[in-house]
Amino acid sequence: MHIGHRIRDVLHEQHRTSVWLARELGCDRTNIYRIYEKMSLDTSVLLRLSRILRHNFFSELAEEVMDEKP
């Protein structure tokens, strides 16, 4: 899963903007666009995003791990 794309998708599903997310995260909008391009994120950042968006990205990542075949 491309975590940055998934964050962007969840944000759009909630009809929220990048400007809103930047305000909630306490950063500049350009930083949000950088997040969208990341394949991985630090867990503390992902936790903050999960709380702000009220979406458990960790469970989605765990599902992906369990779906992978050895």
Side-chain angles (χ1 to χ4, degrees):
M1 171 170 62
H2 190 294
I3 194 64
H5 290 176
R6 185 64 186 128
I7 290 165
R8 182 188 59 212
D9 292 345
V10 168
L11 187 69
H12 288 166
E13 289 167 11
Q14 295 182 5
H15 305 287
R16 299 189 185 272
T17 67
S18 298
V19 173
W20 175 86
L21 184 56
R23 193 174 327 123
E24 292 294 311
L25 202 53
C27 68
D28 191 70
R29 179 183 49 161
T30 57
N31 292 343
I32 301 302
Y33 296 134
R34 287 188 194 113
I35 288 172
Y36 296 157
E37 298 308 314
K38 292 188 178 277
M39 289 285 297
S40 63
L41 284 174
D42 184 81
T43 54
S44 63
V45 174
L46 191 57
L47 179 60
R48 288 182 66 203
L49 288 165
S50 292
R51 287 178 173 156
I52 290 167
L53 293 172
R54 298 182 187 272
H55 184 89
N56 191 341
F57 294 103
F58 292 97
S59 65
E60 290 184 19
L61 289 168
E63 275 185 41
E64 185 173 292
V65 169
M66 298 309 290
D67 288 343
E68 288 183 7
K69 295 189 171 53

